[in-house]
Amino acid sequence: MSETMRAVQILGDKSSPRLSLTNSFPIPTATGDEVLIRVSAAGITADEVSWPELYESNRIPGHDIAGTVVSLGAEYKGRIKPGDQVFAMIKAATKAGGQADYVPVAGSEVALKPARLSAAQAAALPIPILTAWEALHDRATIKRGDRVLVTGASGAVGLMMVQIASAQLGAEVVALASAKSHSHLRKLGANQCVDYNTAGWESSFGSVDAVLDTVGSDVYAKSWRSLRQGGTSLSIADPPPPWAFNGEKPEELKDNPDAKYVYFVVTASGEDLGKAAKLFDEGTLEPLPVVEFETEKVLEAWEYAKQRGKAGKAVIKFA
């Protein structure tokens, strides 16, 4: 095996980041409980260039990956073995990102890839599926028969929320998205679709037990008007609501004082990825649409990833 690899790097500082592709980055090794993965495909999260953790690492971005296990750290005790096809969400505070030929990943963040999916499809999933999984199972604790509103329902996280809420948990789903996405959302399990361009949309479908917000700002504020008394308002929006990290409370509580309010940042979990993988293999969940780019087209891939209303999640192919 060569001693160097291809890797995407973010140069410059946070105020003026520059994207670069190098062919001479040293190949890392797996230490401790890590798993060294030969990356087949890596998803792009465009706003990662604003994450402070990136500038404290080796400057290689990428937290959604799929690939093949090459070697194991001496302290790894899990079931993964060399040759396994896997996928993973690499936590934000990491020494190395995944947009490279090889990356060492904590063993607790790795799961077997769904056999039904391609490497590119699997690489698009970890952050979206884990965010949706944590929101519905652990934070909002949605149960059968609940009525939920998903804002930004046609986005990557929204599409996963709609499917988990409907197909796995048996909830009634109201999906907020532009009209062009409504047909697809209904196929994925949305019971009702609402166009966010319609004035007064927040009063057009009655009350819900929980709001699952991926958009923030005015959409998040309006969504409170559709929440029943004592319901749950959850947001994963970036930027977060003003109360998220300062110990304050949402001002909307004055009209809904018993409501539960939640903001969280997703946790990397190979265990939850493994649970979700089974649902993809069973056909309970459908993958995200992806647009694949060769490694040499990384600049174009990142530009595409920044676009709104794109046809699919941008994925870079490394093998």
Side-chain angles (χ1 to χ4, degrees):
M1 187 168 71
S2 171
E3 295 182 352
T4 60
M5 66 178 183
R6 297 170 299 174
V8 179
Q9 278 195 293
I10 305 296
L11 306 178
D13 58 29
K14 186 178 175 181
S15 64
S16 56
R18 305 189 311 279
L19 201 67
S20 173
L21 177 65
T22 178
N23 295 310
S24 57
F25 203 91
I27 293 178
T29 57
T31 61
D33 69 346
E34 292 175 336
V35 173
L36 182 65
I37 297 173
R38 172 64 168 99
V39 178
S40 298
I44 298 175
T45 302
D47 63 359
E48 186 185 343
V49 294
S50 68
W51 298 0
E53 295 90 349
L54 176 62
Y55 300 91
E56 299 165 2
S57 70
N58 64 0
R59 298 294 191 96
I60 297 176
H63 296 268
D64 288 333
I65 64 161
T68 304
V69 175
V70 176
S71 62
L72 307 173
E75 298 174 19
Y76 176 73
K77 305 298 183 184
R79 298 180 179 180
I80 298 294
K81 61 185 184 301
D84 282 348
Q85 302 292 307
V86 297
F87 69 148
M89 175 193 159
I90 305 170
K91 62 180 176 292
T94 184
K95 64 183 181 182
Q99 290 180 18
D101 284 316
Y102 296 88
V103 62
V105 183
S108 61
E109 297 171 359
V110 180
L112 292 175
K113 179 184 77 67
R116 177 170 165 256
L117 305 187
S118 69
Q121 288 174 318
L125 283 173
I127 290 178
I129 189 64
L130 284 176
T131 303
W133 191 278
E134 185 173 347
L136 276 81
H137 285 273
D138 303 330
R139 304 289 184 161
T141 57
I142 301 303
K143 60 185 184 300
R144 179 171 297 278
D146 282 351
R147 192 164 191 251
V148 302
L149 168 67
V150 178
T151 73
S154 62
V157 175
L159 289 170
M160 292 296 105
M161 285 180 167
V162 167
Q163 293 188 74
I164 292 174
S166 175
Q168 188 198 20
L169 298 178
E172 179 184 345
V173 178
V174 180
L176 183 69
S178 63
K180 67 179 182 180
S181 302
H182 288 184
S183 176
H184 181 55
L185 286 165
R186 289 191 183 96
K187 291 177 183 177
L188 294 180
N191 301 89
Q192 184 175 353
C193 295
V194 178
D195 188 348
Y196 63 78
N197 292 303
T198 301
W201 59 261
E202 65 274 18
S203 303
S204 67
F205 49 83
S207 64
V208 295
D209 299 296
V211 170
L212 307 172
D213 170 60
T214 73
V215 179
S217 301
D218 289 346
V219 169
Y220 172 71
K222 290 179 179 180
S223 72
W224 275 86
R225 301 171 195 166
S226 61
L227 183 67
R228 69 163 174 81
Q229 290 295 308
T232 298
S233 176
L234 177 147
S235 182
I236 56 120
D238 187 16
W243 50 263
F245 298 116
N246 59 13
E248 296 181 7
K249 297 181 179 181
E251 61 180 28
E252 290 85 0
L253 287 179
K254 65 180 184 294
D255 296 318
N256 194 341
D258 296 323
K260 177 183 177 183
Y261 55 97
V262 179
Y263 181 84
F264 75 98
V265 177
V266 63
T267 302
S269 170
E271 180 180 359
D272 286 347
L273 266 186
K275 294 175 184 176
K278 293 178 182 179
L279 297 178
F280 285 104
D281 276 338
E282 293 168 359
T284 302
L285 301 180
E286 290 297 323
L288 297 170
V290 298
V291 178
E292 301 178 39
F293 294 84
E294 298 296 331
T295 311
E296 293 71 23
K297 300 291 186 181
V298 65
L299 296 179
E300 291 91 332
W302 270 79
E303 285 302 314
Y304 177 82
K306 296 175 186 176
Q307 298 177 17
R308 291 179 59 85
K310 49 188 177 290
K313 187 171 175 67
V315 173
I316 304 170
K317 296 168 60 180
F318 284 92

